[in-house]
Amino acid sequence: IWRQTGTQSISSGSWTDVTGNWEQSDQTFSGSLGTAVSQSSGIFTFPDTGIWLIEFVFTALADTGDSTYNELVLHTTLNNSSYDDAAYAYCGNFFNSEDYRSSGNGSFIFKVSDTSTHKCKFRNYAVGNDVEFKGNSTINLNAFTFLKLGDI
């Protein structure tokens, strides 16, 4: 599990790559098996070929009013250069007496047959108002899980 530890501000109407404030989940009860997926500036590299399940969740906050929708998109590449949309997670913000919050989640099964060229990254988008995609170093608010399902 990788997660963002800091908040990322997104201007309404602009795509923003999720590039920084990354850490692997470090709670004492977190578990992993084998070599973990690595990342550099938000580009994730797989340690082994195989069939990989990628799950993601995000939490957004709009302080100034309701946003039409927020989204987090998983982008994959097969050539380590051009990225294509693989999975979207959408949500609209709702008012909870102090601010406007939302969360969304998505998943994708990715066939990784070449670890040097098959990679992924995430992008955020907001419509309606500027939002903050919330990060935290002790819980998973914006979190990305990579689970190897099997060999190919």
Side-chain angles (χ1 to χ4, degrees):
I1 296 175
W2 283 89
R3 65 180 168 216
Q4 279 190 286
T5 59
T7 297
Q8 184 173 5
S9 297
I10 309 297
S11 297
S12 179
S14 65
W15 285 99
T16 305
D17 286 344
V18 182
T19 59
N21 300 315
W22 290 106
E23 76 170 5
Q24 288 183 269
S25 179
D26 55 2
Q27 286 125 325
T28 56
F29 49 84
S30 291
S32 63
L33 183 63
T35 304
V37 169
S38 61
Q39 74 80 32
S40 176
S41 298
I43 305 294
F44 290 86
T45 302
F46 296 85
D48 302 309
T49 60
I51 305 297
W52 288 83
L53 173 63
I54 304 168
E55 296 182 316
F56 51 97
V57 61
F58 72 95
T59 303
L61 173 71
D63 289 326
T64 60
D66 193 19
S67 62
T68 305
Y69 67 88
N70 308 307
E71 64 185 88
L72 180 69
V73 181
L74 168 66
H75 288 262
T76 57
T77 181
L78 302 179
N79 62 14
N80 198 28
S81 177
S82 59
Y83 284 81
D84 295 310
D85 298 351
Y88 283 77
Y90 290 97
C91 65
N93 285 21
F94 64 91
F95 188 67
N96 77 341
S97 80
E98 294 181 20
D99 49 38
Y100 294 83
R101 297 176 187 234
S102 65
S103 64
N105 63 298
S107 63
F108 182 73
I109 295 178
F110 190 28
K111 180 180 178 183
V112 177
S113 55
D114 185 334
T115 59
S116 66
T117 59
H118 293 107
K119 300 180 181 188
C120 69
K121 67 179 181 177
F122 297 90
R123 299 187 85 196
N124 292 328
Y125 189 74
V127 172
N129 278 304
D130 297 350
V131 298
E132 294 178 339
F133 284 80
K134 303 303 281 184
N136 193 297
S137 64
T138 59
I139 59 173
N140 296 336
L141 294 177
N142 285 334
F144 311 86
T145 301
F146 300 88
L147 178 65
K148 185 175 179 183
L149 300 176
D151 295 325
I152 51 173

